[in-house]
Amino acid sequence: MSPTAVLATLVSPEGRRDDVLAALQALSAAAQDEPGTGLFMVTEQRESPGTFTVLERYEDDAAVRAHRSSPAMEAFRTALQDLGIRPELVFLDPVG
């Protein structure tokens, strides 16, 4: 059982920053209560408002799978489809 980290970057469509942020905040609120979630932090790039990076840390891959199959993630995917965006995901193995 090894920790897993994920970086997710989302770029808001023109004029839809608040919609993307609302979807991220709803997902973040639910993720805080998911077993195995150590960190779920939504950030916004200072130099590029509307570009969000989510820092995620899970105790293991099973926790990642649970998060990705949660009702909150399903609702988030629907919101992203409505917005016409896909996050860029990077999966990481903590080494220190």
Side-chain angles (χ1 to χ4, degrees):
M1 181 161 97
S2 334
T4 298
V6 181
L7 287 178
T9 301
L10 300 95
V11 179
S12 304
E14 186 69 35
R16 303 297 303 269
R17 176 207 175 266
D18 291 347
D19 297 323
V20 174
L21 179 57
L24 283 166
Q25 288 172 328
L27 180 60
S28 178
Q32 303 301 325
D33 296 328
E34 292 172 353
T37 301
L39 175 70
F40 196 95
M41 180 190 301
V42 178
T43 66
E44 185 172 21
Q45 292 183 13
R46 289 181 184 175
E47 301 301 321
S48 186
T51 298
F52 298 96
T53 300
V54 183
L55 314 170
E56 305 172 43
R57 187 175 190 282
Y58 301 93
E59 69 182 29
D60 55 25
D61 287 339
V64 174
R65 287 190 299 276
H67 168 69
R68 292 176 60 92
S69 64
S70 70
M73 184 55 112
E74 250 336 285
F76 183 67
R77 282 191 194 101
T78 298
L80 292 187
Q81 287 172 349
D82 292 346
L83 290 162
I85 60 174
R86 288 182 59 108
E88 178 184 318
L89 301 175
V90 178
F91 292 86
L92 306 161
D93 292 322
V95 293

